[in-house]
Amino acid sequence: MTNSQEFTKAAPIIHTLNEAGYEAYFVGGAVRDLLLNLPIHDVDIATSAYPAEVQALFPRHFDVGLDHGTIMVWFEGESYEITTYRVDSDYSDSRRPDHVEFTPNLKEDLARRDFTMNAMAYHPESGLVDPFGGENDAKNKIIRCVGEPMQRFQEDALRIVRGFRFVSV
């Protein structure tokens, strides 16, 4: 896998978090799109750092989802969403978890995601982390849920629509 321009621009954020003693990876759709040689529209980062630790490392930030561990960092003229690794509780509204718990474990964070192709992480030095076979699914144009499909769709009904959108493209 080669670095895209978007990942190269964001790599110093990963490096800053790593130098401070935290894990950090590119995650989600940007990793999927990199594997599929598609344009990357936004780069998201997941980290073992807690929100206050991210805020301390990156003074130019906006709190966009603090309850869910998400900080928007402004770096080199671009904004990057940085989210603490987490596990989700129940979804009583079929859209968002009632609360989240932070975890130090990347695989636990990836396990809460919708589809295998979105449950991958990439580090510029150590490479791809793909515990659910997302790379193979993406390359073979298979849309598969992480875990039990009915549970994923009951947690967040919008995932059904996202699945149809992926099928269309």
Side-chain angles (χ1 to χ4, degrees):
M1 181 183 310
T2 60
N3 286 339
S4 73
Q5 177 182 348
E6 291 82 5
F7 282 13
T8 301
K9 287 172 59 175
I13 295 172
I14 300 282
H15 180 74
T16 298
L17 288 159
N18 292 164
E19 284 294 308
Y22 306 108
E23 287 183 7
Y25 291 85
F26 299 117
V27 293
V31 177
R32 175 199 66 231
D33 292 346
L34 180 67
L35 288 169
L36 296 175
N37 294 315
L38 296 172
I40 296 173
H41 302 290
D42 65 332
V43 174
D44 294 333
I45 296 168
T47 181
S48 61
Y50 284 86
E53 295 162 334
V54 172
Q55 292 167 325
L57 289 170
F58 301 99
R60 296 188 67 195
H61 66 268
F62 307 93
D63 303 338
V64 295
L66 207 51
D67 290 344
H68 293 100
T70 304
I71 305 294
M72 187 71 72
V73 168
W74 185 258
F75 179 79
E76 301 285 322
E78 300 286 336
S79 60
Y80 299 95
E81 197 172 274
I82 303 176
T83 303
T84 302
Y85 300 159
R86 67 182 201 222
V87 292
D88 297 341
S89 69
D90 292 332
Y91 288 66
S92 60
D93 68 355
S94 296
R95 180 63 189 105
R96 290 181 179 79
D98 297 336
H99 70 276
V100 301
E101 291 183 35
F102 299 136
T103 177
N105 187 297
L106 172 64
K107 186 175 177 185
E108 287 181 344
D109 181 81
L110 296 175
R112 70 176 179 78
R113 296 172 186 267
D114 55 4
F115 304 109
T116 59
M117 64 185 175
N118 295 329
M120 296 181 287
Y122 177 73
H123 190 279
E125 294 173 11
S126 59
L128 186 66
V129 177
D130 182 16
F132 305 103
E135 179 180 22
N136 190 51
D137 286 352
K139 287 182 178 178
N140 290 305
K141 300 182 187 231
I142 296 170
I143 300 173
R144 187 168 49 100
C145 289
V146 175
E148 176 58 41
M150 287 304 293
Q151 178 184 350
R152 290 293 134 187
F153 296 138
Q154 287 173 347
E155 289 169 347
D156 182 351
L158 187 59
R159 290 175 173 161
I160 296 169
V161 176
R162 291 185 75 210
F164 283 121
R165 182 177 63 89
F166 290 132
V167 166
S168 73
V169 295

